[in-house]
Amino acid sequence: MKKRNILISFLLIIILPVGTVFSYRYYQSYKENQKKKLIFEKRKANWLILRQRLTDEIAKFNGEAGIVIKDLEMNWEISFNKDKLFPSASLAKIPLMAACFWAADQGRIKLDRNITLKSSDKLTGSGVLKDMPAGTVFSVERLIGLMIYDSDNTATNIITNLMGIDYLNSMFKAFGLKNTVLSRKIADYQLRDQGIENYTTAEDMAFLLDKMYHRTIGNKSVSDQCICMLKLTRTNDRIPKYLPVDITIAHKTGLEKEVCHDAGIVFTTKGDFIICVLTKHANSNSALSKEFIARVAARVYKYFEQL
């Protein structure tokens, strides 16, 4: 009996501390899980509030809008008319850029190849190349950059001629874009006035940006090159307008008669998000559409600030 009592006492000395440690760890794990649950529930509630805020903004907007917002950490999406076709304007330069970097990766083109500017290349509209003298030489990579961060129409015309519209459309399909098509050169306004239009959707733009973010366009370097270019965009009167100046934004705007767009990825300390806002309007200028896009971006950013 004495030996048995000694054995029981020994076991209690060993088992009780182990049980106490186990209980403490279980309690800590429970508390952590409860904390995560509360954070998730708050985030979900704020996401639903954001949807309502965006619904209110759309109701006040004097025009049509296609919108996709994506929380890239949670993989949540808010969308309105995401598959509605809009004239793509310069948003078409995003998949065009991606096709160029893909082609370079595959050896179809060389980014360091020099191309001489010709008078016949020059187009009106945005960009500086139209004012450059014929005979000026640019690398393919520099032309891609000018096409994106300056939205240069002449650079776009040269790149489109280099790649070919048929090849570009085939690459858009290869990327998985369902409703993005080039029916003419992006700045061919004569054909546009004849009713020949390029189209895209907020869904397609968000899909392509998501592939860039997750580095799944070709190898990782293709996606990285695309995002680096988009971060250099100089037009900041839409998505960036009401956001802090130190926020990194990789985006591309689009602007033509009666259409105004902006699509990009916003990188914040609380989380990254995709925002694509395409608009069509009948106003005398694009000021109201630009303000609408800026307000939508501000609403989304506020959601992340509350996390």
Side-chain angles (χ1 to χ4, degrees):
M1 178 67 71
K2 185 176 181 182
K3 289 182 178 180
R4 182 183 176 188
N5 289 338
I6 292 172
L7 177 62
I8 291 172
S9 298
F10 176 76
L11 290 173
L12 287 174
I13 291 171
I14 299 299
I15 292 170
L16 282 177
V18 171
T20 302
V21 171
F22 176 78
S23 297
Y24 175 76
R25 288 178 178 173
Y26 177 83
Y27 176 67
Q28 288 296 103
S29 176
Y30 172 79
K31 283 207 314 181
E32 186 64 28
N33 287 335
Q34 286 299 105
K35 181 180 178 181
K36 288 179 180 178
K37 182 179 178 182
L38 289 173
I39 292 172
F40 175 85
E41 289 175 350
K42 178 183 177 183
R43 187 167 188 160
K44 189 65 175 180
N46 287 342
W47 187 251
L48 295 175
I49 291 170
L50 173 62
R51 176 182 287 277
Q52 185 56 52
R53 295 285 185 269
L54 297 181
T55 300
D56 295 342
E57 290 289 349
I58 292 171
K60 293 184 291 185
F61 177 58
N62 183 26
E64 302 173 57
I67 298 175
V68 172
I69 308 296
K70 188 169 185 178
D71 181 329
L72 287 162
E73 179 182 348
M74 304 303 294
N75 202 32
W76 292 343
E77 181 183 293
I78 295 173
S79 65
F80 304 89
N81 300 318
K82 69 177 183 178
D83 58 353
K84 180 179 177 59
L85 291 175
F86 286 84
S88 55
S90 286
L91 285 192
K93 296 170 184 177
I94 300 177
L96 201 165
M97 167 189 63
C100 288
F101 285 132
W102 170 273
D105 182 66
Q106 297 298 306
R108 182 184 176 94
I109 63 171
K110 294 184 178 295
L111 295 178
D112 59 357
R113 172 186 168 184
N114 287 328
I115 294 180
T116 302
L117 177 66
K118 298 179 292 187
S119 296
S120 59
D121 292 326
K122 297 183 181 183
L123 294 175
T124 58
S126 57
V128 298
L129 291 196
K130 63 180 182 294
D131 300 318
M132 294 279 189
T136 306
V137 176
F138 301 91
S139 70
V140 170
E141 187 169 19
R142 177 72 191 286
L143 290 170
I144 295 170
L146 289 167
M147 175 179 72
I148 296 299
Y149 50 74
D150 274 345
S151 203
D152 194 295
N153 287 336
T154 298
T156 307
N157 189 40
I158 297 171
I159 292 297
T160 303
N161 288 338
L162 174 67
M163 303 298 294
I165 287 180
D166 289 342
Y167 174 79
L168 291 171
N169 281 323
S170 71
M171 286 307 305
F172 296 172
K173 288 182 180 179
F175 292 150
L177 306 182
K178 296 185 291 186
N179 295 295
T180 299
V181 62
L182 284 181
S183 298
R184 57 169 174 79
K185 293 178 182 178
I186 292 173
D188 190 334
Y189 301 125
Q190 289 184 338
L191 286 181
R192 183 192 66 182
D193 292 342
Q194 295 173 28
I196 299 174
E197 189 56 273
N198 299 325
Y199 288 100
T200 193
T201 63
E203 180 180 41
D204 273 2
M205 289 296 102
F207 177 80
L208 186 59
L209 290 168
D210 188 82
K211 287 177 74 71
M212 291 177 185
Y213 182 83
H214 289 102
R215 305 171 83 190
T216 57
I217 298 179
N219 62 41
K220 294 178 180 180
S221 68
V222 173
S223 297
D224 290 344
Q225 287 172 300
C226 290
I227 289 179
C228 284
M229 282 292 186
L230 291 172
K231 286 179 180 179
L232 299 174
T233 294
R234 294 173 181 169
T235 302
N236 295 315
D237 58 357
R238 277 155 263 186
I239 289 174
K241 183 175 180 180
Y242 295 126
L243 305 191
V245 294
D246 58 342
I247 291 292
T248 299
I249 305 171
H251 71 117
K252 181 75 190 76
T253 58
L255 184 67
E256 283 184 3
K257 182 181 180 183
E258 298 182 346
V259 296
C260 181
H261 315 315
D262 204 354
I265 306 167
V266 180
F267 301 85
T268 82
T269 56
K270 300 290 187 68
D272 305 332
F273 63 91
I274 288 172
I275 173 170
C276 300
V277 186
L278 282 60
T279 71
K280 190 174 182 181
H281 62 87
N283 303 313
S284 58
N285 58 56
S286 61
L288 293 177
S289 293
K290 290 179 179 180
E291 179 65 15
F292 169 71
I293 295 170
R295 287 178 61 83
V296 168
R299 292 285 191 187
V300 181
Y301 179 75
K302 185 177 180 180
Y303 155 78
F304 280 91
E305 281 296 281
Q306 293 173 338
L307 297 180

